[in-house]
Amino acid sequence: VPARRQADTFENFDLAKNPEMRPALEQCQRVASGEAWCALLVGGYGNGKTHLAIATLSAMHRLESGYFWKVPDFLSWVRARHFEDSEPMDGLLASYRTGQALIVFDDLGAENQTEFAAEQLYRVLDSRYDNELPTVVTSNTPFERMDQRILDRFASGLVVCGGESVRGRL
Ligand SMILES: Nc1ncnc2c1ncn2[C@@H]1O[C@H](COP(=O)(O)OP(=O)(O)OP(=O)(O)O)[C@@H](O)[C@H]1O
Ligand SMILES: [Mg+2]
């Protein structure tokens, strides 16, 4: 988690700043308590999606034992390990597909949407769905441009995030 965001918690998420985020907060709290396996927070810029994703990590594991990946960085890491270091894809993805610790995939849709990217993300997220492993995904992408297979699998955790950007008025 980037240093400047390590203090993002449920406790300092202020619903007064954005009452429309209550359902997102509650879904992330259900993930943290083990009641739900996923949250998919989709909506406009700056309304607190990443804050809640990091807060879920903090609440569950403290920050050390979960994973926080921005999706474009994850794919760039996967590409480098596979194509430059010749690591087999299955070994590379195994811990992400079956690991029990919470994984946050931040900014789904911000990646360069190649077939390779779509396929690897689908494989990881589909496995997490199959095994109901704790996963929080955030995205700015309109539904019609999202991978419909992922949208359908994460429908139980889908929260449309409304409200205006909190950036710049903190
Ligand atoms: N309700 C809130 N209470 C306190 N801080 C908030 C709240 N909502 C957002 N913030 C803060 O505002 C900033 C922007 O929020 P954040 O990065 O979580 O937005 P986002 O929805 O992920 O935006 P983007 O879609 O652009 O990535 C962060 O510093 C975050 O901690
Ligand atoms: Mg964000």
Side-chain angles (χ1 to χ4, degrees):
V1 173
R4 67 187 290 262
R5 310 236 32 182
Q6 283 177 12
D8 292 356
T9 61
F10 289 140
E11 290 70 32
N12 64 22
F13 191 77
D14 181 3
L15 278 178
K17 288 200 171 90
N18 190 350
E20 289 183 53
M21 288 297 280
R22 179 182 294 279
L25 170 65
E26 289 176 350
Q27 183 61 23
C28 286
Q29 286 174 328
R30 280 193 285 273
V31 173
S33 71
E35 231 180 295
W37 69 271
C38 77
L40 171 57
L41 310 183
V42 183
Y45 300 106
N47 54 19
K49 300 180 297 299
T50 300
H51 184 122
L52 289 175
I54 293 169
T56 312
L57 264 178
S58 281
M60 282 182 95
H61 299 290
R62 308 195 165 277
L63 295 167
E64 305 87 65
S65 55
Y67 293 90
F68 177 86
W69 275 106
K70 288 190 182 270
V71 172
D73 294 340
F74 179 70
L75 287 163
S76 139
W77 175 81
V78 168
R79 276 199 191 89
R81 297 283 294 267
H82 181 63
F83 294 110
E84 289 162 33
D85 307 336
S86 305
E87 284 198 40
M89 194 58 79
D90 286 355
L92 207 51
L93 295 185
S95 64
Y96 293 95
R97 296 179 70 175
T98 58
Q100 304 286 320
L102 175 69
I103 306 183
V104 172
F105 288 106
D106 195 36
D107 279 334
L108 178 71
E111 72 280 4
N112 188 0
Q113 295 188 342
T114 61
E115 220 167 275
F116 174 86
E119 202 47 41
Q120 304 321 321
L121 280 175
Y122 170 73
R123 292 176 70 204
V124 170
L125 294 174
D126 178 54
S127 292
R128 297 197 70 79
Y129 160 78
D130 278 342
N131 299 296
E132 298 201 332
L133 297 170
T135 311
V136 175
V137 179
T138 78
S139 182
N140 292 131
T141 307
F143 293 131
E144 60 276 14
R145 282 206 275 120
M146 287 181 68
D147 184 336
Q148 300 299 305
R149 301 172 298 177
I150 293 174
L151 194 54
D152 198 58
R153 281 161 178 71
F154 279 69
S156 68
L158 174 64
V159 181
V160 177
C161 297
E164 298 203 340
S165 177
V166 174
R167 280 199 191 95
R169 45 181 188 104
L170 293 174

